[in-house]
Amino acid sequence: MKTKALTMLKALFYKDLRIVKPILVLLAVATPLTFVAIAGICFYSMHSERSHESILATVFHLSLQISIYASYLSIAFVCSTVLTAERQDRSIEFLSYLPPLRLHILLSKLALVALCLVACLSLFGCLRVLLEYFQDFSTEVSGRDIGAGDAIGMWVGCAGASWFIGSFSKSTGLPALAGILSPMLVIAAVQISLHMTESSMSLDTMQSVVSNSVLLFGLAGFISGSLFFLNGDWT
């Protein structure tokens, strides 16, 4: 029985993977091309002024910043597509008559979103390690970059908002837009609240409060969206 459930989950996961395949293929092509373009522009414009190591520090700094926001957009569209695509072509109604339970279908989609988050974090980690290595050779690249905790909070907030709206929406665009905008609105609301209450805290503490607020917002979106997916109307 356990083997049968795992086989079913595996089949559902591959089905969901095919749903978001166009997005993943686009990312697989666009990501290395973007990094190559950044490297080409930096080396072309700076080769006579700075060392190769210093230029690479700039390349990885820019690549890291771009990857964070590109991951943000990618997560929003993956979350919205994996939930709404089957509702758009009404295949979710057919799926409801087949043996998989709603819980199995939900777990498959959550696994895909989790894999997407892990992939984004892995890319972030690789670029961060490379930046820290080459940053020692450069005085031009300095300052506080977005940390892993801040990036994860932003990604989960984005994913949770898309997940919640996508759990009952038939449009792919609306959940994606909600995922993109909601964390920004949460960040603005928390910052305004802290300012209005005149809370005295360091910049690092304030950023931690903001990041944790967005993270909790995203987790709430996942929980409420999952409950709606399990108990709501699929038609």
Side-chain angles (χ1 to χ4, degrees), residues 140-190:
E140 287 81 3
V141 177
S142 60
R144 187 182 185 279
D145 292 305
I146 295 178
D150 296 331
I152 292 172
M154 188 170 66
W155 293 337
V156 173
C158 172
S162 291
W163 185 265
F164 173 68
I165 302 297
S167 66
F168 56 82
S169 175
K170 292 184 179 180
S171 166
T172 301
L174 183 60
L177 183 63
I180 293 169
L181 296 180
S182 294
M184 298 180 187
L185 295 176
V186 173
I187 291 172
V190 173

Side-chain angles (χ1 to χ4, degrees), residues 197-202:
T197 56
E198 297 182 352
S199 301
S200 57
M201 59 181 68
S202 65

Side-chain angles (χ1 to χ4, degrees), residues 159-161 163-165 216-226:
W163 185 265
F164 173 68
I165 302 297
L216 291 174
F217 171 81
L219 293 176
F222 272 115
I223 294 171
S224 55
S226 297

